[in-house]
Amino acid sequence: MSNQISAKEALRLISTGQFSSQMEVTFEGVDGVEALDAVVLGEAGVDVPEHLIFYDDSTIVDDEAFDGPWKKLILI
């Protein structure tokens, strides 16, 4: 019996508290992992390949309480 599960299944198990560090998460056939999902997986000890992580701007919500100046970040 294999302990391999997909990233999608790992996220489901994490959300229900059923994920175990004994499970091996595979990323075969995965085109990308949204950044927020990558954080959830990482907190559970799953190492998400960096080249699969993408940022979905549509999931970003403006913080109405923020009144400071915006600063452009330059990623190296």
Side-chain angles (χ1 to χ4, degrees):
M1 183 168 147
S2 175
N3 287 337
Q4 290 187 340
I5 59 172
S6 68
K8 183 176 180 178
E9 179 68 5
L11 288 165
R12 186 187 69 75
L13 293 172
I14 291 167
S15 72
T16 61
Q18 298 175 355
F19 182 78
S20 165
S21 61
Q22 301 299 314
M23 297 174 182
E24 180 184 349
V25 179
T26 63
F27 294 93
E28 288 183 30
V30 174
D31 293 330
V33 176
E34 208 278 324
L36 295 175
D37 289 339
V39 169
V40 170
L41 290 165
E43 288 176 345
V46 177
D47 191 19
V48 179
E50 190 173 327
H51 70 278
L52 292 179
I53 300 172
F54 71 93
Y55 301 87
D56 183 0
D57 288 339
S58 69
T59 63
I60 297 173
V61 179
D62 287 334
D63 183 355
E64 299 295 327
F66 178 76
D67 61 359
W70 289 98
K71 294 182 182 179
K72 185 173 184 155
L73 300 177
I74 299 173
L75 303 175
I76 298 176

